[in-house]
Amino acid sequence: ETGVTQSPTHLIKTRGQQVTLRCSSQSGHNTVSWYQQALGQGPQFIFQYYREEENGRGNFPPRFSGLQFPNYSSELNVNALELDDSALYLCASSLAGFPQENHFGPGTRLTVT
Amino acid sequence: AQSVTQPDIHITVSEGASLELRCNYSYGATPYLFWYVQSPGQGLQLLLKYFSGDTLVQGIKGFEAEFKRSQSSFNLRKPSVHWSDAAEYFCAVATKGNYGGSQGNLIFGKGTKLSVKP
């Protein structure tokens, strides 16, 4: 069973730039959720993708967008980066349904300078 | 609004001592509850979950948690802590939010950092 993988591990961007983070879901999982974890905080839900469509969204502005591909992998895109976007971005995959058992990847550490 | 509170930001216990991490939730419907552990620089690993049935649930690494509806609590326990248990622990509740047909998402507490003294 292949777990959730994320790339890159770390990256540093400048304010105003754009970034794309990638996630491969655990084999057999068809739903991907993205979370932002600021330093010293719990993860916060950004959005979820199912059947290649956004299937729920947290309190994040439209400059946070995503994609899901036919193989269930996913991308998180953030435009016009702000300093407060510095965080650990976690991807979680699950099977469709509620409640879900989410399996998390190791995360991507984004630093915005 | 749904929320999860972990009252203890940082706890230090001696190796071999017992551990209890507190979690309180606010959720109008049947709560589906989780405990995750996060080692430094790592993602989240699921320790255990409560969906229904027996209110005492067993998890991995010798952890257990007890769901108490009357107290809106889901405290995590371990009878004897090992140095490798040092990590940050997050309690979470699954919610459907306001997304209509969405499958829902997790609301996390702010976490409790566990340090283990030799």
Side-chain angles (χ1 to χ4, degrees):
Chain A
E1 183 179 87
T2 307
V4 180
T5 60
Q6 293 186 241
S7 62
T9 306
H10 299 87
L11 75 165
I12 300 173
K13 290 286 188 178
T14 303
R15 190 171 52 184
Q17 286 187 318
Q18 178 266 342
V19 69
T20 297
L21 311 182
R22 295 178 176 84
C23 170
S24 292
S25 60
Q26 181 167 311
S27 59
H29 286 181
N30 54 16
T31 300
V32 173
S33 303
W34 286 91
Y35 289 79
Q36 181 195 65
Q37 186 179 14
L39 202 59
Q41 301 294 317
Q44 285 198 303
F45 175 67
I46 303 174
F47 46 54
Q48 180 181 97
Y49 276 82
Y50 171 62
R51 291 185 175 176
E52 302 179 46
E53 293 191 355
E54 189 177 290
N55 188 48
R57 189 177 186 92
N59 189 26
F60 281 81
R63 59 190 185 83
F64 285 79
S65 63
L67 286 172
Q68 186 181 33
F69 300 98
N71 66 354
Y72 307 126
S73 66
S74 176
E75 286 183 355
L76 163 65
N77 299 291
V78 187
N79 293 321
L81 283 167
E82 301 177 0
L83 296 179
D84 285 348
D85 295 333
S86 295
L88 181 67
Y89 288 85
L90 296 165
C91 167
S93 73
S94 61
L95 284 171
F98 182 84
Q100 302 157 328
E101 184 172 313
N102 285 274
H103 294 253
F104 284 83
T108 294
R109 172 72 63 186
L110 171 65
T111 302
V112 182
T113 60
Chain B
Q2 303 98 334
S3 65
V4 174
T5 302
Q6 295 180 246
D8 304 305
I9 296 173
H10 190 187
I11 284 182
T12 300
V13 300
S14 297
E15 191 168 15
S18 64
L19 170 70
E20 182 168 27
L21 302 182
R22 296 183 291 164
C23 172
N24 293 97
Y25 67 89
S26 172
Y27 189 65
T30 302
Y32 300 102
L33 297 158
F34 304 79
W35 274 99
Y36 285 87
V37 61
Q38 185 177 40
S39 298
Q42 301 295 312
L44 300 169
Q45 182 182 22
L46 179 65
L47 284 176
L48 48 78
K49 63 183 185 285
Y50 172 76
F51 284 1
S52 65
D54 193 346
T55 56
L56 184 64
V57 294
Q58 302 297 320
I60 62 171
K61 304 185 179 187
F63 285 93
E64 66 178 25
E66 186 170 14
F67 170 61
K68 292 185 178 180
R69 184 184 296 275
S70 62
Q71 297 177 18
S72 297
S73 69
F74 188 55
N75 293 349
L76 182 71
R77 302 193 294 244
K78 186 169 185 177
S80 178
V81 169
H82 188 262
W83 64 266
S84 61
D85 293 325
E88 189 145 25
Y89 292 79
F90 291 93
C91 180
V93 64
T95 173
K96 277 200 168 185
N98 300 314
Y99 310 133
S102 167
Q103 300 167 53
N105 58 276
L106 296 172
I107 294 176
F108 286 87
K110 292 189 175 182
T112 298
K113 183 176 180 180
L114 173 65
S115 297
V116 180
K117 292 190 299 187

